[in-house]
Amino acid sequence: MDQEAEVAGTTLDGTTVAEVMAELAALEDPKAREVNEKHGDDHGVNLGRLRALAKRLKTQQELARQLWATGDTAARLLAILICRPKAFARDELDGMVREARTPKVHDWLVNYVVKKNPHAEELRLAWFADPDPVVASAGWALTTERVAKKPEGLDLTGLLDVIEAEMRDAPDRLQWAMNHCLAQIGIEHAEHRARAIDIGERLEVLKEYPTSPGCTSPFAPVWITEMVRRQPDR
C-alpha cells in the first residue's frame, strides 16, 4: 500500500474504510444487536449480510488491517472474512488475539485466521499457559485442532491431567475450550475415551447447559458418546 493511499484511508482498489463503515452502519439491526449482546457480542449486523458484504469486497489485506484498527466489532468480523490469513506475522496475530475481547471476534480470528497461518503451532505453544484466560483459550482451541488432525507429539495423558485439575474452576471461555479438548480426546482416541468420560462425569462441567432440540449437549460424556455412536469405526 502506498503512503498517500494509507493517509487517505483508501486501499489500492479505491475502497475506503469510511465507505465500509458507513455500509456496516446501514446494516445495523437493533434486534440482531439485542440477540448478540446476550452472547457478549457488541454488534448489530446480521452475519449473513456481513458475509455477503465480504463476498462482494473479496480479499483485501490492507483494508482488513484498517478495519481491524477501528476497534469496531462488526468491522473486525468483516476484516477476518476479507483478510489473507497467511499474510499476518506472528507478533501481529499475538496482538490481535489479545485485542479480541468479544467472543465472536475471538472465535473467528482463531478459527478462520490463526489456524491457517504458518505460525499457528508456535502461537499454540506460546498461548497455551498464558496468564490471560482468553488468550489461553486460544491456545487450547489450537490444541484441540491438533488432537483431531495432527495428534503426533501431543501428550494426551498430560492434557487430561491438566483438564482434570483445572477445568472445573477455569473462567468461562477457558473452561469451554478445555471442555472441547476433553471431548475431542475422547472422540478421537479410543485408548483415552474411558478416562475422558470419567473426568467429564466427575467434574460435571456444562452438564446443565441448555441444548436446543436436535443439538448435541456440550457435556463431554454425552458429546463423546454421541459422536462415537455416529461414527462406529471409532
Side-chain angles (χ1 to χ4, degrees):
M1 182 178 206
D2 64 37
Q3 188 173 4
E4 289 183 4
E6 186 173 7
V7 170
T10 307
T11 56
L12 291 179
D13 72 347
T15 306
T16 69
V17 174
E19 288 170 347
V20 176
M21 295 301 292
E23 192 156 356
L24 288 173
L27 292 175
E28 175 76 19
D29 180 348
K31 291 183 178 179
R33 178 174 287 276
E34 183 179 354
V35 171
N36 290 331
E37 286 181 344
K38 291 179 181 178
H39 301 286
D41 291 309
D42 57 347
H43 75 93
V45 179
N46 175 279
L47 295 181
R49 292 183 176 182
L50 190 75
R51 291 182 185 278
L53 175 56
K55 186 175 181 179
R56 179 162 56 79
L57 290 172
K58 301 180 180 179
T59 302
Q60 297 191 51
Q61 180 67 7
E62 291 305 326
L63 178 60
R65 283 194 168 103
Q66 293 174 13
L67 289 170
W68 182 272
T70 67
D72 179 80
T73 293
R76 285 185 164 180
L77 291 172
L78 181 60
I80 290 166
L81 294 175
I82 67 171
C83 75
R84 291 188 181 89
K86 294 180 180 179
F88 292 104
R90 178 207 179 281
D91 290 348
E92 190 174 11
L93 285 178
D94 181 74
M96 291 169 72
V97 163
R98 294 178 191 281
E99 294 171 2
R101 309 314 296 183
T102 60
K104 185 65 71 177
V105 171
H106 180 271
D107 181 61
W108 280 21
L109 179 62
V110 173
N111 286 291
Y112 297 171
V113 181
V114 180
K115 286 182 179 179
K116 299 176 182 178
N117 185 273
H119 300 290
E121 178 62 11
E122 184 182 353
L123 290 168
R124 181 187 78 83
L125 295 170
W127 291 339
F128 186 78
D130 195 278
D132 183 330
V134 176
V135 176
S137 74
W140 277 90
L142 295 174
T143 299
T144 300
E145 177 89 347
R146 276 205 55 189
V147 166
K149 296 183 177 179
K150 193 179 178 182
E152 296 79 17
L154 285 180
D155 179 5
L156 298 180
T157 298
L159 287 173
L160 291 175
D161 290 343
V162 175
I163 291 168
E164 187 172 21
E166 300 179 11
M167 183 172 72
R168 177 182 283 164
D169 298 321
D172 287 351
R173 304 237 312 257
L174 178 55
Q175 183 186 72
W176 187 275
M178 295 174 80
N179 183 73
H180 190 179
C181 189
L182 173 66
Q184 205 68 54
I185 291 172
I187 293 165
E188 301 287 344
H189 302 278
E191 68 275 21
H192 295 286
R193 188 168 296 147
R195 186 184 175 198
I197 291 173
D198 177 66
I199 290 172
E201 288 175 341
R202 285 187 289 105
L203 299 186
E204 298 187 335
V205 169
L206 300 176
K207 184 175 183 179
E208 305 300 328
Y209 191 85
T211 305
S212 302
C215 296
T216 302
S217 169
F219 180 48
V222 173
W223 190 355
I224 293 167
T225 301
E226 175 60 19
M227 295 308 294
V228 171
R229 182 190 68 79
R230 293 182 190 179
Q231 301 179 14
D233 58 325
R234 291 184 177 177

